[in-house]
Amino acid sequence: MSTLSDILLSIVSLVRPRRCAVCGGDLPRGVDFLCTMCRYKAPLTGYWREKDNPMTERFAGLVCVEHASALLFFSGGSGWRKVIHGFKYGGQWRAAYLLGRQYGRELRQSGLYDDIDIIVPVPLHYRKLLRRGYNQSTYIARGMAREMGVGVDTRSLRRTRNNPSQARKMHSERWDNVDDLFAVRCSAESLRGAHILLVDDVFTTGATVVSCIETLHRALPECRISVAALAVVRRGLGLER
Ligand SMILES: [Zn+2]
């Protein structure tokens, strides 16, 4: 997968105009995806360097997690919103993969995530997967896995129900609608005893991720679970904008 991805990405970068995904400015030769200024000004959380942070606090009293972090704050009015919407709804899977690689490098350097055994992306319902053609969280996971030197498991966890509205999920995940949202398949046996990194795209209230963790812990009580979201909504953590 990794070699094929790299070849595909190289081909795509040859035929696409070189513009920064965030500000739309021209990219100099040899620079890919983001301009220097947008890299420098990226709204990074830094949470992956802290064992206790507002994301781990979000899970307190709900489910047991080893570590939790997000790469970016989801900021409404910025070009980053366009990037995230692009890979959620606009077919921009390459952005998800490249940001996953950046996040994977940060996790590798943090030291807190060194004993991760396997990465599991939050699954889409198969109807949504068919309609969209890809799961953005799988591309994020593959980018991270490439940098962290671990595998990705896209088979063991499945989504049993479709969300009624994509837009609504973006704005307010509903706690009253996530019971039994996921189930495990027989292949999950291979995850027994593993330290699993559960990867999501945008973390809002955390309701979906909590539902995933509950399902995994029920099926595999001895596994440990950490959470990595590409972006987190500040108000979901009770932080001011
Ligand atoms: Zn830029």
Side-chain angles (χ1 to χ4, degrees):
M1 165 62 209
S2 54
T3 312
L4 183 61
S5 293
D6 285 347
I7 294 168
L8 276 172
L9 292 176
S10 307
I11 294 168
V12 168
S13 65
L14 281 175
V15 296
R16 282 202 177 165
R18 292 179 167 273
R19 295 202 172 275
C20 171
V22 171
C23 71
D26 289 340
L27 287 177
R29 230 180 153 70
V31 176
D32 191 27
F33 187 49
L34 294 177
C35 71
T36 308
M37 186 54 79
C38 288
R39 274 178 212 275
Y40 178 72
K41 289 170 71 176
L44 302 176
T45 69
Y47 290 167
W48 59 89
R49 290 187 286 262
E50 304 162 16
K51 179 153 178 53
D52 299 310
N53 63 57
M55 271 194 61
T56 53
E57 284 167 23
R58 194 72 192 83
F59 294 105
L62 294 171
V63 286
C64 183
V65 295
E66 289 284 305
H67 304 297
S69 64
L71 180 68
L72 300 157
F73 287 114
F74 183 84
S75 28
S78 76
W80 286 98
R81 181 189 175 91
K82 190 180 67 183
V83 173
I84 288 164
H85 273 249
F87 70 63
K88 272 181 92 76
Y89 309 120
Q92 305 289 320
W93 54 268
R94 180 173 179 260
Y97 178 79
L98 292 175
L99 286 169
R101 286 194 68 169
Q102 183 187 341
Y103 198 5
R105 284 192 290 274
E106 303 288 5
L107 295 194
R108 199 177 61 209
Q109 287 164 16
S110 123
L112 288 175
Y113 296 79
D114 286 353
D115 64 345
I116 294 291
D117 295 303
I118 188 85
I119 301 182
V120 175
V122 172
L124 292 181
H125 190 263
Y126 77 93
R127 282 204 202 101
K128 193 176 282 183
L129 188 60
L130 285 175
R131 196 167 57 238
R132 193 175 292 176
Y134 65 94
N135 178 357
Q136 67 280 5
S137 295
T138 299
Y139 277 103
I140 297 166
R142 284 177 175 159
M144 295 176 81
R146 172 81 198 274
E147 298 293 336
M148 296 171 76
V150 295
V152 178
D153 182 327
T154 57
R155 296 178 51 82
S156 297
L157 192 62
R158 70 183 175 90
R159 200 169 192 127
T160 55
R161 281 187 282 124
N162 210 350
N163 275 20
S165 155
Q166 293 176 342
R168 194 169 80 178
K169 184 185 175 228
M170 208 53 192
H171 293 294
S172 63
E173 275 175 308
R174 307 255 317 209
W175 282 92
D176 56 2
N177 197 29
V178 294
D179 288 343
D180 299 323
L181 196 55
F182 300 95
V184 296
R185 291 197 178 95
C186 299
S187 58
E189 276 301 307
S190 64
L191 301 178
R192 201 166 281 284
H195 185 181
I196 298 167
L197 182 63
L198 187 63
V199 167
D200 201 4
D201 54 357
V202 181
F203 185 99
T204 50
T205 66
T208 306
V209 169
V210 165
S211 183
C212 263
I213 294 172
E214 283 173 341
T215 301
L216 285 167
H217 269 155
R218 244 190 331 263
L220 307 159
E222 69 283 9
C223 71
R224 293 177 296 139
I225 301 175
S226 291
V227 175
L230 193 65
V232 60
V233 178
R234 285 179 205 261
R235 67 181 150 74
L237 300 176
L239 303 174
E240 287 185 317
R241 288 178 63 87

